[in-house]
Structures are given as C-alpha cells and as structure tokens.
Amino acid sequence: MRASISILQVLKKTAQTGEKITGPALAGELGITRAAIWKKISRLRLEGYKIEAGRSGYRLIESPDLSAEELELLLPGRKIIYKKELSSTNDLALSICVNSALHGITDPRGVIIVADSQSGGKGRLGRKWLSPPGVNIYLSVILKTGLSPESAPLLPLAAGLASALALKAQTGLDVRLKWPNDLLAGGKKLGGILLELRSDPDRILFAVVGIGINVNTRKKDFPKALAHTATSILAETKTPANRAALIAAVVKELEHWARRLEEEKGKSALLTAYRSLAETLGREIRIHTEGKTYEGVATGVDHEGRLIMRSGAKTMHFSTGDVLMVRERKKPA
Ligand code: BT5
C-alpha cells in the first residue's frame, strides 16, 4: 500500500511539469523492482488512473475523483477503509466498533469508512438513503469522544456544521442546516447525517457519524420521489466536484469540531456557528417525534443540541424529530 502511494506521489509530481518518468528511475526512487512498478501501475489503472506508458517512460494523465489512494494522500496518518460497494458504511463502522479484531483493527476510534455506492444506505428511523455509484459521498467516521450520552444530540450538529463549512470552503456553495441532521442548498436536501451510538449509561463508547452528500448527481437523475426535494453540488453550482477532496475537507473539519466539543468553550463556539447557518431557527415549524406532532416557533438550540420550540406559553425541548418548516403563519380562525 505504501509503495503504491509513493508511486502515485512521484507520478503526480512529475505530471505537474508535464514530464515523464522512466521505469528504472521510478524503480530507483522507490527502491523496488521494475516488475513491481509494473504491477503497481496496473493496479492504479484498475482503480481508474489513466497512466500513459511509452519508451520515454510513464506519465499520469488523469486521476479518479475517488479512490483509496486519493484518500490516503489527502488524509495521511488515518486508518481509511474504502470499498467500491457496501451495504452501509455505518453498518461496517458499527461492526468494527463491536469486533475490531475481526477487521484487523487495533483501535476503532478515528477509523474512516468510505464507499462509492451503498446497496442498503440508511436514513433515520429505518428510512432509506439513495446511494448510487460514481457520484456521491457515503462516509462514516468512528469518532473519538468523551461526551456523555445526554450531549449526543450535539454530534449530528457538529457533523452538519463541519460538512457545511467544508463544502462552502471547497465549492463556494452556501450550505445551510436544518435541525437536526439535514444539509440544505437552495432550500433542498443536499445531504443527511445519521448518528449511531454504542454507550454505557454515563459514557458514549463509540459514536459513528454517517454522512451522505449528493455531489455529482445530475438533476434529471434523481428519482421522481426526490425530484422536488433533493439536490446536489453539481445541480446547484453547475460544476462537478472532486469527491476525495470534499471528503478530506469534511473529515478534517469534523475532527476539529469533535475535539472542540470536549471543552465547554468549544460547545458554545459550535452552537454559535451552528445557529448562524441554521435554516430552522426563527421559523414556524411542525415537528413529528415519537408518533406525535407539535407546532410552534423554533427559537433556538440548547446547550445539549436540543431544539427549543415555543408553543403558546409553553417552551419545549426536542432531542430528535422530523421538522417541517411552515412558511406562513396560520391565520387565527
Ligand atoms: C438522513 O436520514 O438524512 C440520514 C442520511 C445518512 C446517509 C449516510 S450515507 C453514509 C452513512 N451510511 C448509511 O447507511 N447512512 C449514512 P433522514 O432524515 O431519515 O432522511 C431520509 C429521507 O431522505 C428519505 O426517506 C428520503 O425521503 C430522502 N432521501 C433519501 N436519499 C436521499 C438522497 N440521496 N438525497 C436527498 N434525499 C434523500
């Protein structure tokens, strides 16, 4: 694995100047045989790299926008699992948390799982997450966290904020947040977050943060059922984006905010940043939770990440639920 990374680094460096590099030069630089070089080149080609080979040497023409090698180059020092297809990145992450040895992993914390497609992508409450191949991001991160279970609602907010900030920095898109777990662009769903926990009564043991982001799905390729509610970065910006670069940016932001959540000051900073991007706040909403529906005005997010809603004289705090934003205030009868 290391050698294929360094071979890629050398190829990328030489490609920048439009140069070629010969087999013997590559073999010399990496300290491996020419036969081993040829094997690595073949493997990279299978991963989608276009590498020209001729008498004067090798030249990298094009890299795929997502591969294990791209992710490892952009996120050095992390344990990354990349699969072409998985049932669900969250399910693999949970299985690693329960039995890491079975997966050859010593410490699950910090492990990053990415798939090009999911056959059983999950939303919340048994809902499905549409996960076609070749276009979007399906990412799970096993977070290191010392948070108590009561503060768990802060984690999807941290993941949402991290994703919104990273996507904005990379693509310029104005990404907004809808409590608790939606990423919105142009008022439509750009992505979602699924938090799954394993905890003791007083301590979170593992927090799996699953993030799905529609990146290069074309508007016309969304199924009918989602045509009016879902969007992608391509649909919003008219420009395709590099998935590996986006994933690296999201992971770095997420690691940053997960660290900050360990201190009180960090929690306040998270909530301030979250509120500034929250579409829900100040709006009249209807919230469905545990089989019941409540109506009122979303007034804020409390210190534990719960939504605060004012309904007449009552103030309610919700730790989960599906929020519908009601555009117009109801006229009194
Ligand atoms: C979510 O659920 O928004 C959480 C989605 C989390 C997906 C990630 S992908 C990586 C990781 N591995 C997994 O298996 N899951 C996580 P929820 O709020 O319940 O929204 C689900 C609803 O969104 C569905 O019922 C559809 O209406 C809609 N939907 C499904 N796929 C969509 C998509 N690709 N884009 C926009 N909306 C979608």
Side-chain angles (χ1 to χ4, degrees):
M1 186 58 77
R2 279 280 131 225
S4 72
I5 287 175
S6 15
I7 197 170
L8 200 55
Q9 278 167 333
V10 178
L11 286 171
K12 286 203 173 202
K13 217 167 96 197
T14 44
Q16 273 171 2
T17 54
E19 282 169 44
K20 287 185 179 179
I21 182 159
T22 63
L26 257 181
E29 190 143 348
L30 302 170
I32 53 177
T33 64
R34 288 179 66 185
I37 294 282
W38 181 245
K39 244 168 102 181
K40 305 263 172 231
I41 298 268
S42 307
R43 226 198 96 207
L44 287 174
R45 282 182 171 151
L46 284 178
E47 291 287 324
Y49 290 87
K50 291 206 178 98
I51 301 166
E52 195 181 87
R55 277 175 184 277
S56 46
Y58 297 105
R59 182 164 52 196
L60 178 67
I61 308 290
E62 202 183 304
S63 301
D65 87 312
L66 182 60
S67 71
E69 287 80 7
E70 292 299 301
L71 291 171
E72 288 182 21
L73 276 182
L74 293 166
L75 290 166
R78 274 84 160 182
K79 171 77 188 155
I80 301 167
I81 299 175
Y82 171 74
K83 301 276 182 201
K84 269 277 174 211
E85 186 183 320
L86 276 178
S87 162
S88 150
T89 54
N90 265 36
D91 284 351
L92 178 56
L94 288 169
S95 159
I96 290 173
C97 292
V98 174
N99 194 345
S100 52
L102 193 72
H103 297 272
I105 289 170
T106 340
D107 183 1
R109 289 170 307 164
V111 171
I112 295 160
I113 297 148
V114 175
D116 181 59
S117 69
Q118 297 183 121
S119 53
K122 302 189 296 183
R124 294 176 304 146
L125 306 167
R127 289 187 286 239
K128 291 191 169 39
W129 188 254
L130 184 76
S131 310
V135 279
N136 299 331
I137 288 175
Y138 317 110
L139 161 74
S140 295
V141 182
I142 304 175
L143 278 188
K144 305 178 188 189
T145 175
L147 282 184
S148 64
E150 301 81 70
S151 296
L154 286 172
L155 288 168
L157 306 195
L161 175 68
S163 305
L165 294 175
L167 296 180
K168 166 99 196 202
Q170 293 283 314
T171 67
L173 185 61
D174 183 21
V175 179
R176 299 274 153 169
L177 300 163
K178 183 179 141 199
W179 187 93
N181 72 323
D182 284 0
L183 301 174
L184 302 179
K188 293 181 177 174
K189 187 152 172 162
L190 178 74
I193 285 143
L194 175 66
L195 173 73
E196 294 188 271
L197 296 177
R198 291 289 171 268
S199 33
D200 278 347
D202 57 349
R203 198 166 64 102
I204 295 176
L205 299 175
F206 295 110
V208 172
V209 175
I211 303 177
I213 302 168
N214 301 324
V215 179
N216 293 323
T217 297
R218 290 176 301 186
K219 218 172 172 173
K220 65 180 175 69
D221 291 338
F222 280 110
K224 252 199 190 135
L226 298 179
H228 299 293
T229 55
T231 192
S232 69
I233 291 176
L234 176 64
E236 295 299 316
T237 63
K238 314 283 177 263
T239 314
N242 182 289
R243 286 179 292 162
L246 295 184
I247 290 170
V250 169
V251 166
K252 287 180 192 164
E253 276 291 339
L254 182 60
E255 289 172 344
H256 165 80
W257 285 106
R259 259 196 318 273
R260 294 225 55 195
L261 273 183
E262 304 291 313
E263 355 125 23
E264 278 308 306
K265 259 210 288 218
K267 274 191 198 175
S268 307
L270 167 80
L271 290 169
T272 307
Y274 181 87
R275 286 182 192 117
S276 72
L277 293 178
E279 198 90 310
T280 335
L281 304 184
R283 302 278 293 266
E284 194 146 322
I285 60 161
R286 202 170 292 147
I287 178 163
H288 301 277
T289 185
E290 289 160 0
K292 291 195 181 129
T293 302
Y294 305 86
E295 280 189 25
V297 176
T299 54
V301 176
D302 72 14
H303 211 61
E304 238 96 62
R306 295 175 302 176
L307 184 72
I308 309 169
M309 188 184 84
R310 210 182 49 237
S311 183
K314 264 204 282 183
T315 300
M316 304 167 89
H317 293 242
F318 296 95
S319 52
T320 183
D322 285 309
V323 170
L324 194 76
M325 292 187 268
V326 184
R327 273 173 209 290
E328 299 197 27
R329 279 181 175 268
K330 268 206 254 152
K331 293 196 181 81

